[in-house]
């Protein structure tokens, strides 16, 4: 029997069904029997060979590290990141503003249905990642979606160490500001491409949702990203710009004014 090895989480063999438990599960604990079943299915269908380390445990989601058998047997397994969205009620209040105006008119959509809601976010993240990845913005490539569990390419080194978030990066060179400036320009370009080509505003962009890998900023966490025609998309864009400019200014970069940045991205 294959096992899920996740720190501090007892594994339940696949096929083991406990209907009562799964029905009342998923408030705070993310690895409810239902989620475990989905992870086991991923293993049993060969999408991943192993789910082991925890990359991140957060308010809205946990991210796990997994291995997937590579296509040809001679090369090593490839690393994957598996994001499991939480169905906790606390998260939903915050998210409401992104969803309003988009899913309001969706047939059969019930706002109070947490499970349906997280499934929707997972789907949204998958769609948005596809869009930004396909235009060449450095970002994880979505690989697999099953309900509230999203598998994507792992951003990190070949030994399975995840890339740092921008907030944790420290340049040790002679001229760190020059390095930061170059990262800043990349981020501005990606924001512009994201809007102009993908028709998306990230809506939670900051040094927390950008990873630094292979000398490039990688954009992650796009489940709340909104279409350019969302009623509040430009408010969200202004927020993103402020976060980005504030962060790079703190690194010593001579940043554009928020207004010039807005014009650069939107025109
Ligand atoms: P929360 O805010 O509750 O922590 P979140 O919705 O912000 O969750 P993400 O930002 O998508 O979730 O991921 C959380 C963390 O997991 C990231 O900050 C990053 O460190 C790591 N991570 C996410 N995706 C990947 C990936 N594809 N490769 C490597 N690390 C990743
Ligand atoms: Mn995040």
């Amino acid at each position: 029997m294959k096992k899920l090895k996740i720190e501090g989480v007892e594994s339940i063999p696949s096929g083991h069904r406990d209907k009562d438990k799964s029905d009342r599960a998923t408030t705070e604990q993310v690895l409810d029997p239902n989620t475990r079943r989905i992870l086991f299915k991923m293993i049993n269908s060969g999408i991943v060979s192993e789910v082991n380390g925890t990359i991140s445990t957060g308010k809205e989601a946990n991210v796990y590290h997994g291995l997937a058998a590579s296509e040809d047997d001679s090369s090593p397994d490839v690393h994957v990141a598996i994001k499991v969205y939480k169905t906790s009620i606390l998260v939903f209040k915050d998210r409401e503003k992104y969803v309003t105006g988009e899913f309001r008119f969706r047939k059969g959509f019930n706002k109070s249905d947490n499970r349906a809601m997280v499934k929707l976010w997972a789907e949204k993240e998958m769609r948005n990642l596809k869009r930004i990845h396909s235009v060449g913005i450095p970002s994880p490539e979505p690989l697999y979606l099953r309900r509230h569990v999203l598998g994507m390419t792992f951003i990190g080194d070949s030994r399975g160490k995840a890339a740092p978030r921008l907030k944790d990066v420290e340049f040790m060179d002679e001229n760190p500001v020059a390095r930061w400036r170059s990262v800043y320009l990349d981020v501005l370009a990606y924001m512009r491409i994201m809007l102009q080509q993908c028709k998306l505003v990230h809506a939670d962009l900051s040094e927390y949702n950008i990873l630094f890998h292979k000398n490039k900023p990688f954009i992650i966490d796009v489940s709340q990203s909104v279409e350019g025609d969302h009623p509040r998309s430009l408010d969200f864009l202004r927020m993103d710009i402020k976060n980005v400019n504030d962060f790079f200014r703190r690194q010593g970069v001579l940043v554009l004014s928020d207004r010039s940045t807005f014009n650069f991205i939107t025109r």
Side-chain angles (χ1 to χ4, degrees):
M1 179 67 67
K2 286 166 186 154
K3 274 187 111 183
L4 274 182
K5 300 176 294 182
I6 299 175
E7 285 162 53
V9 179
E10 191 192 321
S11 73
I12 292 181
S14 63
H16 179 102
R17 274 195 79 99
D18 187 339
K19 196 76 182 80
D20 288 348
K21 243 193 203 157
S22 71
D23 280 350
R24 68 184 137 78
T26 51
T27 45
E28 288 304 319
Q29 195 206 357
V30 76
L31 272 181
D32 56 287
N34 202 23
T35 302
R36 273 189 288 243
R37 222 163 18 242
I38 293 171
L39 293 176
F40 267 112
K41 269 193 188 149
M42 288 177 75
I43 291 176
N44 290 333
S45 61
I47 288 150
V48 294
S49 55
E50 219 178 87
V51 180
N52 38 42
T54 303
I55 300 173
S56 157
T57 56
K59 193 161 56 82
E60 307 194 336
N62 286 355
V63 180
Y64 301 102
H65 170 268
L67 285 176
S70 88
E71 311 256 296
D72 71 292
D73 291 343
S74 58
S75 30
D77 287 351
V78 295
H79 301 287
V80 294
I82 300 161
K83 183 167 177 177
V84 179
Y85 299 79
K86 295 192 179 183
T87 47
S88 155
I89 190 83
L90 292 170
V91 180
F92 290 87
K93 296 198 179 94
D94 257 19
R95 285 280 175 125
E96 178 109 24
K97 62 179 183 290
Y98 302 103
V99 175
T100 306
E102 227 181 311
F103 295 117
R104 214 167 12 177
F105 303 113
R106 220 170 130 133
K107 215 173 141 195
F109 181 69
N110 177 1
K111 226 170 47 180
S112 66
D113 185 345
N114 290 359
R115 278 174 187 249
M117 193 87 162
V118 274
K119 183 167 169 282
L120 215 58
W121 286 334
E123 282 168 10
K124 239 183 121 184
E125 177 131 44
M126 169 105 164
R127 271 203 319 270
N128 293 341
L129 274 182
K130 263 190 195 152
R131 257 147 89 173
I132 67 173
H133 190 80
S134 68
V135 300
I137 294 174
S139 53
E141 180 183 0
L143 302 171
Y144 175 88
L145 176 70
R146 168 76 203 187
R147 315 244 306 229
H148 60 293
V149 177
L150 174 66
M152 59 187 137
T153 52
F154 174 78
I155 311 302
D157 71 18
S158 59
R159 288 171 307 172
K161 189 174 188 294
R165 296 177 297 184
L166 224 44
K167 81 171 263 290
D168 298 319
V169 171
E170 219 178 311
F171 290 118
M172 299 302 195
D173 344 25
E174 247 168 53
N175 194 349
V177 174
R179 299 286 304 278
W180 281 117
R181 183 186 303 113
S182 135
V183 180
Y184 175 58
L185 294 181
D186 284 339
V187 171
L188 291 188
Y190 300 155
M191 289 174 83
R192 184 168 202 273
I193 297 167
M194 206 165 155
L195 182 67
Q196 307 262 338
Q197 256 178 284
C198 308
K199 311 281 179 222
L200 285 174
V201 170
H202 187 292
D204 192 19
L205 195 64
S206 74
E207 62 275 23
Y208 289 83
N209 284 328
I210 302 174
L211 302 183
F212 191 67
H213 178 57
K214 293 187 171 161
N215 225 2
K216 290 265 167 228
F218 278 64
I219 307 295
I220 64 163
D221 202 1
V222 292
S223 60
Q224 73 294 310
S225 300
V226 297
E227 302 281 337
D229 64 3
H230 182 286
R232 292 191 57 194
S233 66
L234 294 182
D235 292 340
F236 295 139
L237 179 62
R238 282 188 195 95
M239 240 164 49
D240 287 353
I241 289 170
K242 185 177 180 336
N243 291 338
V244 166
N245 280 344
D246 286 353
F247 174 75
F248 285 97
R249 189 183 299 111
R250 289 200 300 274
Q251 312 313 314
V253 178
L254 195 63
V255 299
L256 296 178
S257 69
D258 290 359
R259 175 189 281 268
S260 307
T261 311
F262 183 87
N263 291 342
F264 168 70
I265 292 166
T266 55
R267 288 183 187 168

